[in-house]
Amino acid sequence: MNTEPLKNSPIRNKVFIDKGVGDHKRLSDTGWNMLNEEIGLPAAVIYQEKIEQNLRWMQSFADLSQVLLAPHGKTTMTPYFFKQQIAAGAWAITLASAHQVNAAHQHGIQRIIMANQLVGKFNMQLISNALVDPAFEFYCVVDSLDNIRQLDDYFTGQGQSLNVLIEVGVEGGRCGVRNANQAKELALAIKQTPALNLVGIEFYEGVIHGDDAETKIEEFLLSVVRLTEQLITSDVFENKQVLLTGAGSAWYDLVANALTQVDVNARILPIIRPGCYLIHDNGIYEDAQNEVLERGGLVCDVVGELVSSLEIWAYVLSIPEPGKAIIGMGKRDVAFDAGLPQPSLYYRPQSEDVVSADSRWRVRDIMDQHSFMTTPLDCSLKVGDMVSFSTSHPCLTMDKWRKVCMMDQQFTVRDVVDTYF
Amino acid sequence: MNTEPLKNSPIRNKVFIDKGVGDHKRLSDTGWNMLNEEIGLPAAVIYQEKIEQNLRWMQSFADLSQVLLAPHGKTTMTPYFFKQQIAAGAWAITLASAHQVNAAHQHGIQRIIMANQLVGKFNMQLISNALVDPAFEFYCVVDSLDNIRQLDDYFTGQGQSLNVLIEVGVEGGRCGVRNANQAKELALAIKQTPALNLVGIEFYEGVIHGDDAETKIEEFLLSVVRLTEQLITSDVFENKQVLLTGAGSAWYDLVANALTQVDVNARILPIIRPGCYLIHDNGIYEDAQNEVLERGGLVCDVVGELVSSLEIWAYVLSIPEPGKAIIGMGKRDVAFDAGLPQPSLYYRPQSEDVVSADSRWRVRDIMDQHSFMTTPLDCSLKVGDMVSFSTSHPCLTMDKWRKVCMMDQQFTVRDVVDTYF
């Protein structure tokens, strides 16, 4: 069935316009101004200055902590940002699937940690194709003998070899071996598998929850450090430098500290992998960052702070009852799994200034294409007014957008970036 | 910043591979077989035979009920399906935003109801551009004097006119006027607005919830019918045929019945707008359809039934503990807001047959890129096995995918369709 644009219409050959941007004919330094209504709302907007501040903040933290930074790219899936992260000093980009690795590598990212199992013939083929590029450096993780055999079969067949890290997990958690004996069993199996090079240990502490999470995480980190020391002593690693990598966006301070405590430190490449810091939010990651700051340590020496850099701008579509505004922004546009979006800025088209949203406005509910916002009964909000919303859980907002507007302080779009979800 | 594919690499000029498909070089009748692992998992798969069954079912219901069908396209945002729906007899496609209308029109859809307010200059410009096509027939809804003035300003400036329907809502609900007086006030205002033609009444009963929803919906439908009769008598409509349209995917039977009860029936074009029926699910819309069937009436005369036509196929990535399988499918791939995905089919690569998933397997939790599935302790599931999952709330699964594989009963991909979220 033909799904090409119309052949016999006045709009033939017109470029399709993606959600949340302006006219496609000018996609670089477009000059579109949002306040002049030159882009379609709802739109996902990232403030250039804010994201650059976040970029520098986390790299500074990694530098001060003497750990390498491999930011998790799954949050944004935006190669434009991956390149900025590498240019700012990141050692690699972390990703979660073969599809994501392929997207990043095709856009020029040359060192990638896939912090996940590589499973399935076509997924292995994607990685194999990328490995044809001699400049491409790739790491993935394993936690089972079955996966080791499957990877061996595939990559031996291609005449290629693969760098792997053993994933260490926690009882009741996600992937990863549950104890040192399982890790040693895998290490020995990898040593006997010519297609695989064991080059490190990987973990993700973010699956540990509960009131005593901090204590449990400290214990887990200590156990991983001890295991790594034992494995180094057992001489199971192929490479002189052993990668030791963990950390999501909530506990990277504890992880950075632990990674640099390994006794045989000279052989360790310590790598943290936070991802959400780049966009940050006004929800779960703001809370997590506040806890990081309360724990103190090197984070207190980093200049500045993380700020929420992403907002969704949308119109007031309807004010059907006093005190209720229906906003043209829904589950199709913004994350809703970790708190609803929060009103941030307000602008009435053709007026002078963008101002802060009334602190009494609240999003109470969200449907596919609409949000329900309550306001004071005497609110002067009108249909056609523009409101921006900050979000909680940037990953699930980003994956709703194919193009995101990079905006300066005058609300002029300076670039339009492509996502690859 | 350059985000083009690599310039100096062996993979130069390789086409980027989207999530959930195979090698892009053959996108039409590709011959890829999923069981041969010729596509990357996770993948969104629609079974051709099942979606065609759903397509016919709802059109038959509309035909039997003597109402027109304008399926809501927001669910799939897939012009390939819009064309199938039109070819099967749908009168129009319903959409929710100017962006969606533009995407559908650019792909050849010539009659569209935007069951939402058209707000904002750029959004109006998108519609204005489409209206340059003399074959394009467009309707949107209004519920405020402010919006009427804004539409008048813009379309008068373009020398164009716009067909509008008054949206009727419910107290405590979403958009729409709350009583007959407000509707009449808008009708008179539109009559005095040369750029706008009042051509009908629109409502959405799906915002009415609670134990007594059926009673409340019946009352609401009756009030809309009475209002429509009054407005027809008051001679506020521009056209001889008055559009009267409502219905989501849960109450379309009651709505179809109500729409054909208008006293001045000769002037009414009754239009229902369910959307989720095309994909259907094994969750909230299966429940809703069971309730439709329990209410009886004309639905019982329609041959066949609605079936869940969409599944996500994914690999078992890890079995870290007995009784727990980690699946390579997460919030990035599947809806999770109305129930978690449910195991449906099972296949071990290189084995003979696809079989039903063990009915004791349950998805208990979901993260961005992983699902947690519990199994019996003695389960024979292995890393690398493939499991398919049916879903609840198709809208939020579809918007996670740019390409969806259309699959035949042998699990061969017969087409790859593009979504335009």
Side-chain angles (χ1 to χ4, degrees), chain A residues 5 70 86 107 110 146 181-182 268 298-299 313 389 414-415:
Chain A
I86 296 288
H107 287 89
Q110 295 286 32
D146 281 330
N181 284 342
Q182 290 174 343
I268 293 290
L298 287 173
V299 285
W313 278 85
F389 297 85
R414 287 297 163 204
D415 219 335

Side-chain angles (χ1 to χ4, degrees), chain A residues 2-3 5 16 74 83 103 106-107 121 143 150 172-173 178 318 321 324 331-332 337 368 383 402 419, chain B residues 2-3 5 16 74 83 103 106-107 143 150 172-173 178 318 321 324 331-332 337 368 383 402 419:
Chain A
N2 173 30
T3 57
F16 174 74
K74 79 176 169 72
K83 291 183 180 187
Q106 295 253 353
H107 287 89
K121 192 175 80 174
D143 73 353
Q150 292 157 3
R178 296 305 194 236
S318 175
E321 297 166 13
K324 174 188 271 190
K331 291 181 174 182
R332 249 61 192 282
D337 65 320
D368 284 4
V383 170
R402 301 185 185 195
T419 69
Chain B
N2 173 29
T3 56
F16 174 75
K74 78 176 170 71
K83 292 184 181 187
Q106 294 253 352
H107 288 89
D143 73 352
Q150 291 157 5
R178 297 303 195 238
S318 175
E321 298 166 11
K324 174 187 274 191
K331 292 181 176 183
R332 249 65 191 281
D337 65 320
D368 283 5
V383 169
R402 300 184 187 197
T419 69

Side-chain angles (χ1 to χ4, degrees), chain B residues 27-210:
Chain B
L27 266 188
S28 186
D29 206 12
T30 61
W32 300 327
N33 190 284
M34 192 183 60
L35 306 186
N36 293 343
E37 298 187 273
E38 291 170 335
I39 63 176
L41 303 191
V45 159
I46 287 178
Y47 302 105
Q48 260 179 341
E49 200 185 35
K50 292 182 177 182
I51 200 169
E52 283 164 17
Q53 177 175 331
N54 294 343
L55 183 77
R56 286 191 299 270
W57 194 96
M58 189 59 82
Q59 188 62 53
S60 299
F61 170 76
D63 293 347
L64 269 176
S65 306
Q66 298 186 282
V67 297
L68 300 172
L69 180 61
H72 212 312
K74 78 176 170 71
T75 309
T76 69
M77 276 312 296
T78 306
Y80 179 99
F81 298 140
F82 299 167
K83 292 184 181 187
Q84 288 187 327
Q85 289 171 309
I86 295 288
W91 181 75
I93 296 295
T94 299
L95 291 161
S97 72
H99 152 75
Q100 293 178 354
V101 171
N102 178 51
H105 177 243
Q106 294 253 352
H107 288 89
I109 303 303
Q110 296 285 35
R111 188 186 288 125
I112 294 175
I113 300 171
M114 181 169 140
N116 209 353
Q117 280 64 24
L118 174 58
V119 174
K121 191 175 81 174
F122 188 85
N123 292 331
M124 293 181 196
Q125 184 185 319
L126 283 178
I127 300 302
S128 172
N129 291 349
L131 288 171
V132 171
D133 172 8
F136 184 50
E137 194 176 324
F138 176 74
Y139 305 89
C140 66
V141 308
V142 294
D143 73 352
S144 69
L145 293 172
D146 281 331
N147 191 213
I148 288 171
R149 276 191 287 270
Q150 291 157 5
L151 292 170
D152 184 37
D153 282 352
Y154 186 85
F155 287 94
T156 299
Q158 302 298 313
Q160 291 174 314
S161 67
L162 195 68
N163 299 319
V164 298
L165 294 79
I166 291 173
E167 178 160 22
V168 180
V170 290
E171 200 64 38
R174 204 168 66 187
C175 305
V177 297
R178 297 303 195 238
N179 57 54
N181 285 341
Q182 290 174 345
K184 287 169 193 166
E185 186 190 20
L186 291 191
L188 294 177
I190 296 166
K191 219 175 160 69
Q192 290 157 18
T193 304
L196 304 186
N197 309 319
L198 180 60
V199 298
I201 298 292
E202 187 270 349
F203 61 90
Y204 174 56
E205 74 295 337
V207 291
I208 299 173
H209 296 290

Side-chain angles (χ1 to χ4, degrees), chain A residues 158-353:
Chain A
Q158 302 298 312
Q160 291 174 314
S161 68
L162 194 69
N163 298 321
V164 298
L165 294 79
I166 292 173
E167 179 160 21
V168 181
V170 290
E171 200 66 39
R174 204 169 66 188
C175 305
V177 298
R178 296 305 194 236
N179 57 54
N181 284 342
Q182 290 174 343
K184 287 169 193 166
E185 187 190 19
L186 290 191
L188 294 177
I190 296 166
K191 220 176 158 69
Q192 289 158 18
T193 304
L196 304 186
N197 308 319
L198 180 61
V199 298
I201 298 294
E202 186 271 350
F203 62 91
Y204 174 57
E205 76 295 337
V207 292
I208 299 173
H209 296 290
D211 288 340
D212 55 348
E214 183 172 344
T215 310
K216 282 189 188 163
I217 286 171
E218 293 277 26
E219 287 169 11
F220 173 60
L221 293 173
L222 189 66
S223 74
V224 175
V225 164
R226 291 290 161 267
L227 171 65
T228 307
E229 289 167 355
Q230 289 169 32
L231 290 174
I232 288 176
T233 309
S234 311
D235 200 26
V236 295
F237 294 106
E238 294 280 329
N239 49 340
K240 214 168 89 183
Q241 291 266 282
V242 174
L243 278 65
L244 179 55
T245 175
S249 300
W251 303 99
Y252 60 87
D253 56 326
L254 299 185
V255 173
N257 186 54
L259 294 186
T260 50
Q261 304 299 317
V262 185
D263 254 359
V264 280
N265 210 353
R267 286 198 59 185
I268 293 290
L269 277 186
I271 306 159
I272 60 171
R273 309 189 313 266
C276 291
Y277 75 90
L278 189 67
I279 305 290
H280 204 55
D281 70 8
N282 281 136
I284 51 173
Y285 289 103
E286 183 180 41
D287 294 345
Q289 179 69 0
N290 286 337
E291 290 182 21
V292 168
L293 293 169
E294 276 168 30
R295 286 193 292 270
L298 287 173
V299 285
C300 301
D301 299 336
V302 183
V303 177
E305 57 180 351
L306 296 182
V307 287
S308 178
S309 67
L310 167 69
E311 289 188 337
I312 309 300
W313 278 85
Y315 285 112
V316 176
L317 297 187
S318 175
I319 302 186
E321 297 166 13
K324 174 188 271 190
I326 307 298
I327 308 293
M329 166 188 76
K331 291 181 174 182
R332 249 61 192 282
D333 310 305
V334 67
F336 56 90
D337 65 320
L340 293 176
Q342 301 162 45
S344 169
L345 299 173
Y346 165 74
Y347 181 70
R348 173 163 294 168
Q350 294 160 49
S351 73
E352 278 298 302
D353 286 323

